[in-house]
Amino acid sequence: MYPSGGRVQTVTDLNSLREAVDELRQSGTIAMVPTMGALHEGHMTLVREAKRHATHVTASIFVNPTQFGPNEDLDAYPRQLAEDQAKLEAEGVALLWAPDVDAMYPQGFATSISVTGVSEGLCGASRPGHFDGVATVVCKLFNQLRPDVALFGEKDWQQLAVIRRMAADLNLTLPCVDNIIGVPTVREEDGLAMSSRNAYLSNAERASAARLNQAMREAIARIEAGADVAQALDWLTGELAAAGFGPIDYVTLADAANLHELAETPAAPARLLVAARIGTTRLIDNMHVEGKSA
Ligand code: AMP
C-alpha cells in the first residue's frame, strides 16, 4: 500500500541522494517521474501511474537551463517548490530530487548527449539545442535515481521518442526500453493540454488556446475520412491563425515512431503534431491519427 500524506524526503545534494536511493532500493523497485515543477494534473497522473509500476515513486524538479534557448522563458518559468512538495506528499511520493543548477552542472561540466534522427525536425528545428539539453539531463537523472521504470508524458511526443532512442542506444540501466512508460496527455475540459506554461496565458489567450485541440480533432477527422493531407493541414493552419495563433512553428503529420513527415493518408497509425505561439506563449500538442485500413 502507498502511504498518503506522509512527508516526501526532499534532497538537493548528490551524497544525500545516493544514500536515499540506496535505502529505497533495499525495500523495492523505483519509478522516476522527472519534471520541471509547477505541478498540475498532467504531472500528478504520471505520479499515480508510476505507483502501478514500482514499490517507490521518486520525482525530480529541475528547471533545466540547457534545454532553454537564449530567448526562451527560463527566468519566467514558474517555480513553486513548497506547493509542489505538498502535492507529491499527498500522493505518497517517497523522494523528491530538487537540485540547484550548480549541483546538476558543477564547474567544468562539459558533456552533451545529442540524439540524431528523431530529435531533428519539429521542436528540434524550432528550438535548436533543446533536445541535447533534454537528453543530457534525463541521462543524468537516470544515473542519479537509478530507476527501474521512468514515466514521461505523451504531451511531449518527440521528447519521449528522443529519450527512448537514447536509453536504447546507451544501454541505460533500466531493465529494458519497455520500462520507459508514455502516459496519455491530460487535458482541461475544453481540450487544451495541461502545461505549466498555460499559466502565462491571459484570459483572452486562454479562451483562444482551446481552439488548438478542437481544430486538431477536426483536421484528424478529415484525414481519417480520406481528405488530402496537405489540404487538411493547410485548413488547420488557417484555423489556428484565425484563432490568434502565430507564428506557427509546425503543423505536421508524422509517423508515430520515427517522426518522419507524411504527405499522404497514413497506412499505419500516425501522429498529428503542432507547435504554435499565442501571444508570447508557445504551446504544443499532438494526437493519434488512425491509418487507412488496408
Ligand atoms: P515538464 O514539467 O513540463 O517538463 O513535464 C514533466 C513531465 O510531465 C514530462 O514527461 C511531460 O511530458 C509530462 N506532462 C506535462 N504535461 C502533461 C500533460 N498534460 N499530460 C501528461 N503528461 C504531461
Side-chain angles (χ1 to χ4, degrees):
M1 270 312 285
Y2 268 83
S4 61
R7 279 212 74 74
V8 58
Q9 184 186 2
T10 302
V11 295
T12 57
D13 70 279
L14 278 169
N15 285 336
S16 309
L17 180 70
R18 203 164 295 127
E19 276 173 29
V21 169
D22 283 346
E23 205 176 312
L24 290 180
R25 290 211 72 84
Q26 282 171 18
S27 57
T29 53
I30 294 179
M32 167 175 100
V33 180
T35 81
M36 297 204 300
L39 302 179
H40 51 66
E41 261 310 293
H43 299 114
M44 300 320 291
T45 302
L46 264 62
V47 166
R48 286 190 282 271
E49 179 64 19
K51 294 182 193 177
R52 303 191 331 108
H53 297 276
T55 322
H56 305 293
V57 177
T58 64
S60 61
I61 294 181
F62 180 63
V63 182
N64 176 33
T66 67
Q67 70 189 70
F68 287 77
N71 299 316
E72 293 185 353
D73 56 342
L74 174 63
D75 293 335
Y77 201 84
R79 289 162 171 91
Q80 45 181 60
L81 187 62
E83 242 175 89
D84 290 346
Q85 278 172 313
K87 288 180 184 170
L88 297 172
E89 256 168 37
E91 288 296 340
V93 169
L95 176 66
L96 170 60
W97 170 225
D100 64 18
V101 173
D102 290 339
M104 194 59 105
Y105 299 114
Q107 191 74 28
F109 187 90
T111 300
S112 177
I113 294 177
S114 192
V115 178
T116 58
V118 285
S119 74
E120 284 169 20
L122 306 168
C123 287
S126 38
R127 304 182 69 188
H130 169 68
F131 287 119
D132 291 358
V134 169
T136 305
V137 81
V138 171
C139 186
K140 284 171 69 69
L141 290 168
F142 276 122
N143 288 328
Q144 291 163 345
L145 288 158
R146 292 173 275 143
D148 298 278
V149 293
L151 293 95
F152 297 88
E154 289 184 352
K155 152 124 193 312
D156 299 280
W157 187 265
Q158 190 177 15
Q159 169 174 286
L160 184 54
V162 169
I163 290 166
R164 285 200 163 117
R165 187 74 260 160
M166 172 187 70
D169 290 354
L170 298 183
N171 309 115
L172 292 188
T173 53
L174 290 163
C176 68
V177 159
D178 289 346
N179 288 346
I180 292 177
I181 296 162
V183 176
T185 303
V186 180
R187 300 178 180 282
E188 303 286 356
E189 247 169 49
D190 61 8
L192 178 66
M194 289 190 184
S195 164
S196 306
R197 290 192 167 96
N198 293 351
Y200 300 152
L201 300 172
S202 69
N203 289 342
E205 287 165 355
R206 173 64 190 81
S208 305
R211 190 67 193 129
L212 171 58
N213 185 253
Q214 291 157 3
M216 284 175 72
R217 284 174 201 276
E218 287 169 44
I220 289 170
R222 288 170 184 228
I223 292 167
E224 288 179 345
D228 178 77
V229 168
Q231 271 178 20
L233 299 183
D234 280 351
W235 174 85
L236 175 53
T237 306
E239 287 297 299
L240 294 179
F245 282 89
I248 295 167
D249 285 350
Y250 57 81
V251 170
T252 301
L253 183 70
D255 180 281
N258 62 26
L259 298 181
H260 290 167
E261 198 168 335
L262 299 168
E264 286 174 17
T265 312
R271 213 76 195 170
L272 176 63
L273 304 107
V274 176
R277 227 165 273 269
I278 187 150
T280 54
T281 307
R282 184 176 183 274
L283 299 179
I284 59 172
D285 201 348
N286 69 85
M287 293 186 75
H288 172 86
V289 182
E290 204 52 61
K292 68 178 166 213
S293 40

